[in-house]
Amino acid sequence: MKRRLGVMASAVAVVLSGCTSDSGTVDTPELEARGTVLTTVQPTRQDLTNQISLSGKVTINPVFGIVAPVAGELRFTTRQPTTVAVSRDTWVASVWNDGAPRKVFVPEGAMMAGRLMADRSEVSKGMPIVSAKHVGYGITAEIDSAQAYRISGAVKSIKAQIKNGPGPFECEPVGTIAALPAGTFPEPEPEKTTAPAAGPSGAPAPIENKDPAASAPEGSEPTGLRIVCVAPAKVRLINGSDVTLDVITGRVEDALVLPVEAVAGLQGKGKVDLVDENKQRTTIDVELGISDGKVVEIKKGLTGGETVAVPGPNLPAPDPAEVTG
């Protein structure tokens, strides 16, 4: 019995010694250095369409904005507002730039709804300066700021589908997508009359005669960011009907693209991080084009053979001194 217990003790000792020998050092995966890029992508080429789906409604007399064609001084005409749609494009203002006027028109089928800026204001190109109303049925869709930057005022075409109704059909966009302030009209000028000769009393005769009933016409209400489009005349519309709009703002064939996650910025100027053979980042500037929400067009800055980090660089916060200065 004692011999058996001795054998078992020896066996346990061997097992324990086997478990502890060479197990003091545990192998761990080799860690990359801090800042090393682990996920990368290379630019590719594809046909690209910037298309956005929006929910809209059929409305009556929708308001839309008309923008300044150039930067300069805004001057309104003396044309009186109408209560019916104009039968042709109607001149309502001019923007003077370098001594030359650029005319602003209310389009056929609409009427002027108000002035969005004061007369002789300095305006920039693309700034809404006049509100107008499309007379009759139109289709409107509210948009958020992220969608606004994708659309960027460059709507190429719109297709509309009325829920349980007509469609799809082409819907002609009108005006700008920018939010509009309230549209106003100036008070009418008082009528001037010739003063008659003073009477026996010697009391001076009135020179101006203003009709107390005369007042400026009511202007347009402010709007948020929205798209307004007009359906063909043959399409039967019912006020308040739900509509789905497919908005196309651009098409590019064989575009050089990157995933949106690899790019800082959404429009115009952007930045990407190039990755070298040591997996280290270098941030460079690129020029961006259209996006479909998944990839974005790289117009300048890359040739296609680069390795790019995912996610892209973080844009630095603006300098408070520059913001307030």
Side-chain angles (χ1 to χ4, degrees), residues 6-281:
V7 171
M8 291 178 64
S10 299
V12 171
V14 170
V15 171
L16 290 176
S17 64
C19 290
T20 56
S21 63
D22 299 330
S23 63
T25 302
V26 179
D27 292 335
T28 59
E30 183 178 350
L31 297 178
E32 296 285 357
R34 184 182 296 273
T36 301
V37 178
L38 300 179
T39 304
T40 61
V41 68
Q42 286 190 314
T44 59
R45 289 194 173 273
Q46 67 175 68
D47 294 344
L48 186 60
T49 299
N50 186 4
Q51 182 170 334
I52 302 172
S53 182
L54 301 173
S55 296
K57 283 188 177 294
V58 176
T59 59
I60 296 176
N61 297 348
V63 173
F64 61 93
I66 301 171
V67 302
V70 294
E73 183 183 81
L74 173 64
R75 300 181 190 176
F76 287 101
T77 67
T78 57
R79 188 181 306 280
Q80 294 299 311
T82 62
T83 57
V84 296
V86 296
S87 58
R88 63 180 183 274
D89 292 354
T90 301
W91 173 38
V92 295
S94 298
V95 178
W96 285 76
N97 178 273
D98 290 335
R102 288 286 299 274
K103 292 184 177 181
V104 178
F105 296 88
V106 168
E108 176 185 351
M111 61 184 182
M112 186 172 176
R115 299 180 180 184
L116 304 181
M117 304 286 293
D119 191 35
R120 296 187 178 272
S121 296
E122 289 293 326
V123 298
S124 58
K125 181 179 180 180
M127 179 181 292
I129 56 175
V130 173
S131 62
K133 284 185 180 180
H134 172 76
V135 178
Y137 283 118
I139 296 174
T140 63
E142 305 301 321
I143 60 179
D144 60 33
S145 60
Q147 292 169 324
Y149 278 99
R150 284 189 61 192
I151 296 171
S152 187
V155 176
K156 300 297 183 183
S157 66
I158 300 176
K159 282 194 174 182
Q161 172 66 60
I162 298 176
K163 186 177 181 180
N164 300 322
F169 54 84
E170 295 290 336
C171 196
E172 181 183 0
V174 294
T176 178
I177 66 168
L180 307 179
T184 60
F185 289 102
E187 291 288 337
E189 292 289 333
E191 296 180 2
K192 293 184 178 181
T193 59
T194 302
S201 65
I207 298 177
E208 294 183 354
N209 178 26
K210 183 175 180 180
D211 182 359
S215 61
E218 185 177 352
S220 60
E221 295 290 330
T223 72
L225 291 164
R226 53 159 47 172
I227 278 182
V228 179
C229 67
V230 179
K234 63 181 180 180
V235 177
R236 180 171 177 262
L237 301 176
I238 300 176
N239 189 40
S241 299
D242 292 328
V243 186
T244 298
L245 298 179
D246 283 332
V247 182
I248 295 177
T249 64
R251 292 188 178 92
V252 180
E253 295 182 355
D254 196 33
L256 188 68
V257 301
L258 280 172
V260 293
E261 296 83 3
V263 180
L266 289 176
Q267 184 187 27
K269 294 181 179 180
K271 294 180 181 293
V272 299
D273 278 348
L274 300 186
V275 180
D276 61 22
E277 58 184 10
N278 296 320
K279 298 185 178 181
Q280 297 301 306
R281 297 174 182 252

